[in-house]
Amino acid sequence: MNSFENFINDYELTMIDSRIKDAMVYALDGGKRFRPSLIFSIMDGFGAKREVAYHSALALEMIHTYSLIHDDLPCMDDDDYRRGKLSVHKAFEENTAVLAGDGLLTEAFGVVAKDEGISFEKRIKIIKYLSSLAGVGGMIHGQLLDLQSENSTHVTDEMLEEIDDYKTGCLFRCSLLIPMVLVEDEEHEEFYNMVGTKIGRIFQIQDDLFDVIKTQEETGKPSNSDSKNAKATALSINSVDEIRKKLNKEFDEIYNLLVDRNFNTEYLRNIIKKIEKR
């Protein structure tokens, strides 16, 4: 991932200097890069060069980071820490955080549009996935459902799955659909959607659990934030043991999906194992 980090640093140098840029760079630094890693795992599985996906991977990471900045704002989840450091609105100020999130979201589409290493057709397809899965019919819809779930007394598995599939699952689906476009494997789109959806559910259930059983030092963000905001989470209707069993079942199902595919799934499997052990 070092060369990808260098690519991020080089791209940041092309941006006009300002306090907004400083906040954007601050926010991008320190992420675990799970979504770019998933992109690269598909590229590796097909024997394609990772560098071909760098622009698109940065765009997705920018969109993910913008969503975190806005999630942490006082009007949303009101969290003071992210990625082991002060949230952007605390390290800078609230109006700068809003604009930094806006900047990352807007810049993301420019990153893909300026990618001369791939065809115009592929750029358009990737921009389409990014906009639809991050937009009002995707991640933003999930964020709305999440906010509406606060203080709910009628939480169900179906309700949680819907929130997870939109709020978290959409960008994970995008992290598999982007390389699908790049390696020209669109006939298997259903597979990439299924795997991305499952990873999103797993990731969010883990986060729900970690919010209760892990410390701020371990997660990089405040513990018990969900209960503070009265969120509907996996723990709203499940015990810790039940959640662990649910996660084991989800991991078994996702590993079964990786059997007998048309590419080397070992790279993708390794990223999923990292998610399993986080």
Side-chain angles (χ1 to χ4, degrees), residues 1 3-4 7 40 50-59 111 115:
M1 291 287 286
S3 57
F4 177 60
F7 176 81
F40 301 144
R50 287 187 172 196
E51 291 80 2
V52 174
Y54 276 3
H55 283 79
S56 297
L58 173 55
V111 173
D115 184 4

Side-chain angles (χ1 to χ4, degrees), residues 7 11 18 23 30 44 57-58 75-76 83 85 102 110 132 157 163-164 174 182 189 197 202 204 210 234 241 244 265:
F7 176 81
Y11 191 88
S18 70
D44 291 343
L58 173 55
C75 62
M76 296 283 281
R83 292 176 169 173
K85 58 187 181 182
D102 294 345
S132 61
D157 281 323
I163 294 172
D164 295 352
C174 205
L182 294 173
E189 182 173 0
T197 297
I202 285 168
Q204 189 57 58
F210 296 162
D241 285 343
R244 293 187 192 279
T265 61

Side-chain angles (χ1 to χ4, degrees), residues 37-276:
S37 293
L38 286 166
I39 291 175
F40 301 144
S41 74
I42 303 298
M43 302 298 286
D44 291 343
F46 277 93
K49 292 182 179 179
R50 287 187 172 196
E51 291 80 2
V52 174
Y54 276 3
H55 283 79
S56 297
L58 173 55
L60 184 57
E61 188 68 6
M62 283 178 161
I63 290 174
H64 171 57
T65 303
Y66 118 77
S67 74
L68 300 181
I69 294 174
H70 284 189
D71 272 352
D72 290 337
L73 289 170
C75 62
M76 296 283 281
D77 292 347
D78 193 17
D79 283 327
D80 292 348
Y81 289 89
R82 173 73 66 173
R83 292 176 169 173
K85 58 187 181 182
L86 286 171
S87 300
V88 176
H89 71 277
K90 285 293 183 179
F92 294 81
E93 53 275 322
E94 193 171 336
N95 55 7
T96 299
V98 171
L99 292 174
D102 294 345
L104 285 166
L105 173 61
T106 308
E107 190 69 21
F109 297 103
V111 173
V112 178
K114 291 181 284 190
D115 184 4
E116 297 180 354
I118 61 175
S119 67
F120 283 113
E121 182 182 6
K122 288 181 178 179
R123 288 182 234 178
I124 291 169
K125 287 179 179 179
I126 289 169
I127 287 172
K128 182 190 76 172
Y129 281 126
L130 286 170
S131 61
S132 61
L133 290 170
V136 293
M139 179 187 69
I140 289 176
H141 179 62
Q143 290 170 318
L144 174 63
L145 294 175
D146 184 50
L147 288 171
Q148 291 176 336
S149 77
E150 292 177 6
N151 298 303
S152 175
T153 57
H154 301 287
V155 180
T156 64
D157 281 323
E158 292 75 19
M159 174 182 175
L160 292 173
E161 279 193 358
E162 185 179 17
I163 294 172
D164 295 352
D165 288 353
Y166 281 99
K167 181 185 175 184
T168 309
C170 278
L171 290 195
F172 276 115
R173 283 166 56 198
C174 205
S175 68
L176 298 178
L177 293 168
I178 285 172
M180 174 199 75
V181 170
L182 294 173
V183 300
E184 300 178 4
D185 192 38
E186 291 165 85
E187 63 183 292
H188 296 113
E189 182 173 0
E190 183 180 358
F191 162 75
Y192 295 106
N193 272 316
M194 287 173 61
V195 174
T197 297
K198 282 206 164 290
I199 292 175
R201 287 181 186 175
I202 285 168
F203 209 87
Q204 189 57 58
I205 292 170
Q206 285 180 323
D207 275 358
D208 292 348
L209 182 61
F210 296 162
D211 185 63
V212 172
I213 69 170
K214 289 194 174 186
T215 65
Q216 181 171 325
E217 288 70 28
E218 290 175 301
T219 64
K221 55 186 179 181
S223 300
N224 297 306
S225 175
D226 292 332
S227 59
K228 178 192 75 172
N229 292 310
K231 296 279 189 183
T233 74
L235 281 160
S236 300
I237 54 175
N238 297 281
S239 68
V240 169
D241 285 343
E242 287 171 335
I243 289 173
R244 293 187 192 279
K245 290 177 182 177
K246 186 188 291 279
L247 282 170
N248 288 335
K249 180 175 179 291
E250 291 285 355
F251 277 112
D252 286 343
E253 289 178 0
I254 202 168
Y255 287 134
N256 286 335
L257 285 173
L258 304 185
V259 177
D260 295 329
R261 305 310 308 183
N262 62 321
F263 66 99
N264 184 351
T265 61
E266 194 60 30
Y267 301 98
L268 176 56
R269 187 183 299 271
N270 287 340
I271 302 302
I272 295 170
K273 284 179 180 177
K274 287 183 180 179
I275 293 173
E276 187 174 8

